[in-house]
Amino acid sequence: MKKDGLVDAVQAAAQLESKKQALTAVDAVLDTITKTLAQGDEVKLPGFGVFKVAKRAERMGVNPKTGEKIKIAASVKPKFRAGKLLKEAVK
């Protein structure tokens, strides 16, 4: 499903009058999750899952073409851990 499909599903499920209202709702949820993660906080949605920020330390790696050792910089990445209800629904 792409964003348009999600917007249509939200419009139908929430019985919204227009697609624009559903798009605003979807964008608001996504923007809020993004801003919360950017601040380093978690977003917990019971039953669905947890969005959080994972910090990876600097480490050594190997270039697969040359075999040369390279330094991989530290990074911060978003992560998602599925909740119990979501896992059960996907089985």
Side-chain angles (χ1 to χ4, degrees), residues 18-90:
S18 71
K19 190 171 182 174
K20 185 174 181 180
Q21 289 175 322
L23 177 62
T24 301
V26 169
D27 284 342
V29 169
L30 297 177
D31 288 344
T32 302
I33 291 171
T34 301
K35 289 176 183 175
T36 302
L37 291 176
Q39 294 171 357
D41 295 332
E42 292 183 345
V43 177
K44 296 180 183 181
L45 304 170
F48 184 74
V50 178
F51 294 92
K52 65 181 182 176
V53 176
K55 297 177 184 176
R56 294 196 68 177
E58 184 178 275
R59 61 197 190 280
M60 295 301 292
V62 177
N63 182 332
K65 283 187 176 181
T66 64
E68 175 187 2
K69 289 191 176 193
I70 56 173
K71 187 184 293 185
I72 301 171
S75 62
V76 178
K77 307 276 188 221
K79 281 197 159 190
F80 175 75
R81 186 177 74 230
K84 183 179 178 182
L85 295 177
L86 178 59
K87 288 178 186 177
E88 290 173 356
V90 175

